[in-house]
Amino acid sequence: MNNYFRITAQSREKGYTFIADSYGHFEKLWQFSAYLIEKGFRIIAVNAEGKFGFGNIPKADPDSDHIIIRACAKGKALIDGNKITVGNRTYITM
């Protein structure tokens, strides 16, 4: 299965940010992004496997039924170059 996606997004109304993975739930990355936008989230970063380093967030097991929340914190994501941190969870974009 090669449809492992990671998105960092921010709630427009509630003031929190999260990192979410999808491993089998969506066939295309744009479907995952569109779903979150439709739900009212602002997209911060969008990545497919091979385009990001897992950092201290290990790869999830395949799950075709769920979106997996990997980190969540009040406020905005901390972006330092290609390093994205939410709470105490970090990954690297390429």
Side-chain angles (χ1 to χ4, degrees), residues 21-77:
D21 288 357
S22 173
Y23 193 7
H25 188 69
F26 297 98
E27 185 176 326
K28 303 285 183 184
L29 182 55
W30 69 264
Q31 293 169 321
F32 188 14
S33 299
Y35 175 82
L36 292 175
I37 291 168
E38 178 182 299
K39 298 297 180 189
F41 295 102
R42 180 175 160 261
I43 304 297
I44 307 297
V46 178
N47 299 280
E49 187 171 16
K51 302 291 184 186
F52 69 94
F54 287 95
N56 68 353
I57 308 171
K59 186 174 182 177
D61 293 328
D63 187 338
S64 61
D65 296 323
H66 302 99
I67 294 171
I68 305 146
I69 303 299
R70 306 312 304 268
C72 187
K74 280 202 154 278
K76 296 180 180 181

